[in-house]
Amino acid sequence: MRLDIVSIFPEFFSVLDLSLIGKANADGLLNLHVTNLRDYATDRHRTVDDTPLGGGAGMVMKPDVWGKALDEIFPEATLGDGERHVLIVPTPSGETFTQRIAEDLAGADHLVFACGRYEGIDFRVAQHYAERGVEVRELSIGDYVLNGGEVATVVMIEAIGRLLPGVIGNPDSLVEESHGSAGLLEYPVYTRPVNWRGQEVNPVLLSGDHAAIARLRRDQALEKTLRRRPDMIQALRPDQLDSDDRSLLARLGWCVGENGVRPLEIRELESGDVDRLHALAIRTFPDACPPFLSHEDIQQHLDTVLSPQSIHSWIDNPHVRVIGAFLPQNSAAPEGDHGGEASSDTGDGRTQAEQTAHGEQLVGYALVVGPRADGPIAEKCPKQLSDEHCSWAHLSKVYIDQKWRGSGIAAALIAVSADMASQMGATSLWTATSTANKRAAKSYKRAGMTKKGGRTYTVGTTTCRDVVMQMTLSSASPQ
């Protein structure tokens, strides 16, 4: 790649000799030329500016001087050679320079940086060279004003030049760094000593487990990006995010849908949420049932265990936590699921507008029964667990709207449920899921629960087989 810089301060760019760009230029990986604009002025004072036409403050750089300089850099024969020639004008009124633009410009054959000063370069210069077939880009490195384009040019050359083959010794660093192809800010980095002023690095970094290290760094990059640049999180494509990414983002308040990443709220439900929870419960339970259950058995379960009265009793019970996952109204369904109509049928006989009357839609829920709960809701701890010296909480239910499976919401609800169980004084959390529901068992396992055996469970008049799973809670905070 050839790089040309035109400026009234050519000595400013000696700083590039101190960086990898200077080494790349010396090694022939790029071809850098700096031109003094004043060499093309015609008067004895080497004047390059004049007062603005129409009046106003400051001075404007003259088009005739710029034309002479750029004509030498862009001779007529050059513009028909089939190569990509780009004239870059640094200006605070330009398009914001980003890593994606740097990657695009790194693929050009010839870049020319026109460093303006004062009030800028006569606009006809950019127009003229665009008409001649030069690609003209007006670019800004930020929402602030500098005295000239030189600093911005150095920034852009550093960003573009390091992407050229051979300039960076380890090309993998281009993937992992902030704003790289991963679309995230870079994870925190550490070196020796391991303990510095009372601060120790995460022991995973010392474990030699490359998969665990990669996961830790990925999690840290996601958290850092979410904290500092949530706009970058929203720009991620769903196919860039694996199940662990989705689980972490959901725990941090973001849900991955078919059309991108969107805000998610997980909170305890209140009495005003009963109708929405009932609608979700009767929609999701049949979908999770084994195929041999009859419609009558399922309906009996819906009419008793999942009735509005039962849900009210959950919410009113001080030893029970009912946790809901909510999406904003304008994010409530993946594109196409409801035809784009706010009043479309949601599948439970009610419209989406009715579902989102509070400006949000309930898309998942979990039910945690604490150690002190009694009555019908307090299911007996399975015999394979009851002999263990633990204070048990029961993760009775975790259900997600079918449209949002794979979004990470289930993992987030399980994590919040574990925290709630700990706050209620439990030291272990158990759950049970149908042996036919492999998807649910996999979600529980991924969340840290282990299989402990089985049990029977009755739906309507039919006896079903469940897998019993358990996790030990990190700490308990008895109420």
Side-chain angles (χ1 to χ4, degrees), residues 11-227:
E11 62 276 10
F12 187 95
F13 297 96
S14 61
V15 66
L16 291 173
D17 294 334
L18 306 176
S19 69
L20 286 173
I21 301 301
K23 185 177 184 301
N25 188 46
D27 292 344
L29 297 175
L30 53 84
N31 189 5
L32 178 63
H33 298 267
V34 183
T35 298
N36 188 341
L37 180 67
R38 292 194 187 276
D39 291 343
Y40 296 88
T42 56
D43 66 324
R44 63 191 181 95
H45 297 294
R46 305 175 80 194
T47 303
V48 298
D49 60 305
D50 204 342
T51 56
L53 296 178
M59 304 291 281
V60 178
M61 302 192 86
K62 295 164 63 68
D64 51 341
V65 179
W66 272 102
K68 290 178 182 178
L70 294 177
D71 281 348
E72 283 198 9
I73 295 171
F74 294 123
E76 289 291 345
T78 299
L79 299 182
D81 61 3
E83 294 190 341
R84 184 183 176 192
H85 300 270
V86 186
L87 174 62
I88 299 171
V89 183
T91 169
S93 63
E95 176 187 6
T96 301
F97 180 73
T98 65
Q99 187 69 18
R100 303 290 85 79
I101 291 177
E103 291 167 357
D104 173 59
L105 293 175
D109 302 288
H110 184 197
L111 301 180
V112 180
F113 293 85
C115 300
R117 282 266 157 178
Y118 319 122
E119 296 303 308
I121 303 169
D122 187 303
F123 185 64
R124 290 171 293 181
V125 174
Q127 287 180 312
H128 172 75
Y129 288 96
E131 290 169 358
R132 283 183 58 190
V134 176
E135 181 182 340
V136 178
R137 302 289 296 269
E138 293 188 332
L139 297 173
S140 167
I141 62 169
D143 294 339
Y144 45 85
V145 179
L146 302 171
N147 288 329
E150 287 78 12
V151 170
T153 293
V154 170
V155 168
M156 287 189 273
I157 289 176
E158 283 271 346
I160 296 166
R162 66 195 305 275
L163 300 176
L164 300 177
V167 174
I168 296 293
N170 182 2
D172 289 341
S173 65
L174 299 177
V175 177
E176 296 181 346
E177 66 190 4
S178 295
H179 307 288
S181 59
L184 301 172
L185 300 181
E186 189 175 12
Y187 50 79
V189 295
Y190 305 91
T191 188
R192 284 171 287 275
V194 172
N195 186 318
W196 179 74
R197 296 186 178 181
Q199 300 183 72
E200 292 199 23
V201 300
N202 191 306
V204 171
L205 297 175
L206 310 175
S207 68
D209 185 335
H210 298 296
I213 292 171
R215 185 68 253 168
L216 172 67
R217 287 175 168 171
R218 176 74 173 179
D219 288 349
Q220 290 175 331
L222 285 164
E223 292 186 50
K224 183 177 181 180
T225 306
L226 182 57
R227 184 172 63 254

